[in-house]
Amino acid sequence: MSRATRLLDLLQLLRRHRAPVSGPALAEALGVSIRTLYRDIATLQAQGADIQGEPGLGYVLRPGFTLPPLMFSVDELEALVLGSRWVAVRGDARLGAAAADAVAKIRAVLPDALRETVDAATLTVPMLRDEPVAVDVAVIRGAARREHKLVITYRDLDGADTTRTIWPLLIGFFDRVQVLAAWCELRQDYRGFRVDRIRSVEARDERFPRRRAVLVKEWRARQGLHATARN
């Protein structure tokens, strides 16, 4: 393994952990001596990586240090291109445009050989016709990010419309539909809403009474319990 590759691998290891990681654990993961690890950490710090810590306490990489896209491997580039193609096919128009713009920015700074890898990516996504969506999904995503409530008109399987005040949490992408996971004030419980059955959406300035991260954690725990019960 070249030293440049080892330094990149070290950065990736540190990025995966929010809490400090001990020097011996990092050295073992990289297959190097502890002395080599300390030299590599010093090299990265000299290049601007905000790695904090010391022997005996562990090391953590603070946010803000980025690598130029030309450091991507071929597999990483193919993964990015595949992901962007999937979003372009399955996401709404704004997400699709954002995915295309992201790949274009990466492609613009790549050397010729890697630029050809992007252009000739071997992975693709089949074109599927999703159920038509009547609302701007970007409004739902924005409300979830800001932790603001939404008022929606929702049409059930029988064609009846109800007005709900919800706390949008996540949007799940399935084969042909998107499902919004949210807390429903009407039902006083977590509910899944098919996005294609939402007839109207209105963002409110009112924030969730609880943090979205806490709600998502609780929702995931409920999903795990339901899965266990089914099994």
Side-chain angles (χ1 to χ4, degrees):
M1 178 190 298
S2 69
R3 186 161 187 260
T5 300
R6 191 176 69 242
L7 292 174
L8 290 173
D9 288 346
L10 174 55
L11 282 172
Q12 289 298 99
L13 279 173
L14 290 169
R15 280 198 179 99
R16 294 183 194 132
H17 298 86
R18 295 184 180 179
V21 188
S22 70
L26 291 169
E28 181 180 359
L30 293 169
V32 299
S33 68
I34 192 70
R35 181 176 297 180
T36 297
L37 174 78
Y38 291 152
R39 284 202 303 265
D40 288 348
I41 288 175
T43 298
L44 290 172
Q45 289 172 329
Q47 293 177 355
D50 189 5
I51 300 173
Q52 298 184 3
E54 57 185 78
L57 295 178
Y59 297 90
V60 63
L61 176 65
R62 297 300 181 188
F65 184 73
T66 58
L67 292 172
L70 58 86
M71 293 296 188
F72 290 140
S73 70
V74 172
D75 286 342
E76 289 169 340
L77 284 171
E78 288 215 325
L80 288 170
V81 173
L82 176 64
S84 70
R85 288 176 175 174
W86 192 94
V87 171
V89 171
R90 308 310 309 279
D92 56 81
R94 188 174 300 184
L95 270 184
D101 288 345
V103 171
K105 288 177 181 177
I106 293 172
R107 185 184 181 283
V109 296
L110 291 174
D112 291 341
L114 288 180
R115 188 177 299 121
E116 291 176 3
T117 297
V118 172
D119 296 337
T122 59
L123 307 174
T124 190
V125 177
M127 297 292 293
L128 295 175
R129 187 178 298 278
D130 293 342
E131 295 297 327
V133 173
V135 298
D136 184 357
V137 184
V139 174
I140 300 175
R141 296 199 312 272
R145 285 193 296 267
R146 295 189 302 272
E147 300 185 352
H148 282 191
K149 296 182 181 181
L150 290 174
V151 176
I152 65 171
T153 302
Y154 190 70
R155 181 163 297 170
D156 64 20
L157 284 171
D158 298 323
D161 289 349
T162 58
T163 299
R164 316 279 189 104
T165 299
I166 63 171
W167 314 346
L169 303 177
L170 301 166
I171 298 178
F173 286 74
F174 295 86
D175 282 345
R176 296 183 182 277
V177 298
Q178 301 172 33
V179 177
L180 169 64
W183 176 268
C184 177
E185 292 188 355
L186 177 66
R187 303 303 184 195
Q188 285 296 295
D189 200 356
Y190 293 102
R191 287 290 188 269
F193 299 94
R194 278 183 46 168
V195 175
D196 59 295
R197 292 184 185 157
I198 298 176
R199 313 315 300 166
S200 67
V201 58
E202 178 187 349
R204 293 288 179 88
D205 289 333
E206 187 179 359
R207 293 180 61 88
F208 303 169
R210 300 164 62 196
R211 293 304 305 271
R212 175 176 171 270
V214 175
L215 295 167
V216 169
K217 185 176 180 180
E218 186 176 275
W219 173 80
R220 291 189 189 280
R222 297 273 191 95
Q223 300 306 302
L225 287 175
H226 292 333
T228 302
R230 288 195 295 269
N231 292 334

